[in-house]
Amino acid sequence: PSHRLSHLFSEHERYLQANNKEFNSIFVYPNNTIKTSKYSVFNFLPLNLFEQFQRLANAYFLILLFLQLIPQISSLTWYTTMTPLMVVLSITAVKDAIDDLVKADIQRLFSYRMKEDKWMNVQVGDIIKLENNQPVTADILLLSSSEPYSLTYIETADLDGETNLKVKQAISVTSDMEDHLELLSAFNGEVRCEAPNNKLDRFSGILTYKGKNYFLDHDKLLLRGCIIRNTDWCYGLVIYTGPDTKLMQNSGKSTFKRTQIDHLMNVLVLWIFLGLGIICFVLAVGHGIWQNKKGYHFQIFLPWEKYVSSSAVSAILIFWSYFIILNTMVPISLYARTTTLNEELGQVKYVFSDKTGTLTQNIMIFNKCSINGKLYGMHVFLLSPSPGEFLLCKLFSRRI
């Protein structure tokens, strides 16, 4: 129907039916596949090389390699630069690939047919089973659980940092199904709820089942990233999948992270470049002067190449030759590392806390105070009203 297809283009609300893949496919909801890794098979090589050449030393050696391919200025063979550069790039690329593969999810879910399947194959409208200590890999509406009153305990540390368990409760009309697969597979309730958003503490919707409407709120929704705790099993109806889940709505795009050491190395390399350029310039000027005054007259014994027409041209060419010869001034070996951001380990710069008692144990030490213009505190000199007199007031610190 045309009014249902309108949700495909502007989803003001989500409309789905349990256990009806054909109906839900009309709206073309995204599957549960998410991308937490930065690379893919197709973009790994160009993207990784682009990131690595943001390090100035790598870019320097790449430029140096191209210069060595020019026979007029090359004083060293090209493989003397290619070999160490390829080794460093390869080691870093392998390390980045391994770090990226670790991010891949390997979680599995059980569908209402009790068939084990990968979480990426879960679709909107499926009913899935979760067991104790399993992560929730989609935003699901709680239908029933093993606990009394269909309570389910979850840990939301990956969402809000809270380690204390939270309680979710299914609505009574679905809690009676418990773990009866016949009833769960025959459940055909329809859900109308809000469109996907990043509000972790907000959810509203209506469940229509057997001609009656039931209000849905945040207490009945299990979010992706939660972990089931102290609950043997629970069943839920998938509402949001993949990029539509609230966790992914709050996730930013993976970016290339650079450490303080990286920034410092780039600054040092810039200074090395400057020093190298000055040295090469001085040597090239000296070469040009010698060629102009002495070497020009010894062409019979030291003939110039055909492409050298003057001492100035010879000086320009020798500048790049010295640039190649002095390439060891740039420490490319310092860029070969084993793990990402390991230089930052143990370097605590900021500590954020939303509770004063977390760091202070709710203990405050009295230091000083001013009452009606008078200072009270430890070792405070109070001026006497009489001119030329003062009073030493020694108050000891006291806990409040």
Side-chain angles (χ1 to χ4, degrees):
S2 59
H3 72 282
R4 292 174 182 172
L5 288 176
S6 63
H7 294 282
L8 177 62
F9 304 101
S10 58
E11 189 178 1
H12 299 293
E13 67 174 2
R14 173 147 296 195
Y15 184 38
L16 60 101
Q17 189 177 72
N19 294 322
N20 194 337
K21 292 182 180 294
E22 182 179 358
F23 174 83
N24 297 327
S25 64
I26 297 176
F27 306 99
V28 196
Y29 294 131
N31 56 32
N32 206 32
T33 302
I34 63 171
K35 185 178 183 297
T36 57
S37 58
K38 182 167 51 176
Y39 304 112
S40 67
V41 177
F42 303 102
N43 71 359
F44 173 75
L45 186 60
L47 183 57
N48 187 261
L49 289 178
F50 173 76
E51 291 177 349
Q52 291 202 55
F53 283 117
Q54 290 187 35
R55 302 185 178 105
L56 295 183
N58 291 344
Y60 163 76
F61 279 94
L62 181 64
I63 296 173
L64 189 68
L65 177 62
F66 287 121
L67 292 176
Q68 287 181 323
L69 297 177
I70 303 175
Q72 289 79 5
I73 62 174
S74 179
S75 52
L76 298 173
T77 54
W78 60 269
Y79 55 81
T80 59
T81 298
M82 171 66 80
T83 302
L85 180 62
M86 289 298 297
V87 169
V88 171
L89 294 179
S90 299
I91 293 176
T92 306
V94 171
K95 178 263 301 180
D96 291 340
I98 294 175
D99 290 346
D100 205 54
L101 288 175
V102 172
K103 298 180 182 178
D105 288 330
I106 56 174
Q107 301 163 353
R108 293 179 178 270
L109 296 177
F110 294 89
S111 67
Y112 60 88
R113 295 190 183 100
M114 294 302 293
K115 180 183 71 173
E116 185 177 355
D117 203 352
K118 293 182 178 180
W119 59 264
M120 61 186 297
N121 297 327
V122 173
Q123 299 178 3
V124 172
D126 287 349
I127 295 179
I128 61 177
K129 178 184 178 180
L130 294 172
E131 297 180 343
N132 190 34
N133 296 327
Q134 280 190 340
V136 182
T137 52
D139 292 351
I140 65 175
L141 175 66
L142 183 61
L143 298 179
S144 61
S145 76
S146 60
E147 302 305 305
Y149 308 105
S150 287
L151 299 178
T152 299
Y153 301 94
I154 61 173
E155 180 183 300
T156 61
D158 291 341
L159 294 177
D160 53 18
E162 294 288 342
T163 56
N164 57 304
L165 300 183
K166 296 180 174 59
V167 181
K168 302 289 183 176
Q169 184 176 21
I171 55 179
S172 58
V173 68
T174 61
S175 61
D176 297 335
M177 294 187 294
E178 297 182 343
D179 60 343
H180 302 298
L181 299 183
E182 297 81 5
L183 297 178
L184 290 168
S185 59
F187 179 68
N188 61 353
E190 296 183 356
V191 175
R192 289 182 179 271
C193 61
E194 59 187 21
N197 58 76
N198 61 354
K199 305 297 183 182
L200 297 175
D201 57 350
R202 190 188 73 184
F203 176 75
S204 61
I206 296 177
L207 169 66
T208 302
Y209 182 55
K210 294 182 179 180
K212 295 184 179 180
N213 294 331
Y214 302 90
F215 177 73
L216 306 176
D217 57 17
H218 179 259
D219 292 333
K220 298 173 178 59
L221 189 69
L222 302 182
L223 300 181
R224 183 189 186 104
C226 300
I227 299 178
I228 306 298
R229 299 295 190 193
N230 300 338
T231 305
D232 293 336
W233 52 261
C234 65
Y235 287 87
L237 172 64
V238 177
I239 305 296
Y240 304 117
T241 54
D244 288 346
T245 58
K246 293 183 181 294
L247 176 63
M248 296 307 298
Q249 291 280 316
N250 283 279
S251 299
K253 185 178 179 181
S254 298
T255 57
F256 176 57
K257 298 179 181 178
R258 302 178 63 186
T259 65
Q260 292 183 359
I261 299 297
D262 272 336
H263 291 288
L264 178 60
M265 283 296 300
N266 281 345
V267 173
L268 294 178
V269 168
L270 282 176
W271 283 105
I272 294 175
F273 283 169
L274 181 60
L276 179 61
I278 294 174
I279 293 174
C280 293
F281 178 77
V282 172
L283 293 175
V285 170
H287 173 81
I289 294 174
W290 186 90
Q291 287 285 19
N292 184 52
K293 294 184 177 182
K294 302 292 184 180
Y296 179 81
H297 303 289
F298 287 90
Q299 292 191 47
I300 297 177
F301 305 99
L302 299 174
W304 288 357
E305 299 292 343
K306 295 180 179 180
Y307 49 81
V308 178
S309 58
S310 65
S311 58
V313 174
S314 179
I316 294 175
L317 295 177
I318 205 67
F319 172 87
W320 296 110
S321 296
Y322 282 124
F323 192 82
I324 295 173
I325 293 174
L326 300 176
N327 69 82
T328 54
M329 292 182 62
V330 178
I332 189 174
S333 60
L334 294 181
Y335 282 93
R337 299 188 309 274
T338 54
T339 54
T340 304
L341 300 181
N342 62 341
E343 298 91 347
E344 304 291 343
L345 293 178
Q347 300 181 21
V348 179
K349 182 179 292 186
Y350 303 104
V351 176
F352 294 93
S353 176
D354 59 344
K355 298 179 180 178
T356 57
T358 304
L359 301 178
T360 65
Q361 300 181 353
N362 289 324
I363 297 176
M364 295 180 291
I365 305 299
F366 173 75
N367 189 10
K368 296 178 182 180
C369 70
S370 174
I371 301 177
N372 195 23
K374 293 184 178 181
L375 295 178
Y376 298 90
M378 188 175 185
H379 298 288
V380 177
F381 287 93
L382 298 179
L383 294 178
S384 174
S386 303
E389 297 180 0
F390 65 89
L391 175 65
L392 173 62
C393 181
K394 183 176 180 181
L395 299 179
F396 295 95
S397 299
R398 305 182 67 180
R399 289 188 176 183
I400 298 179

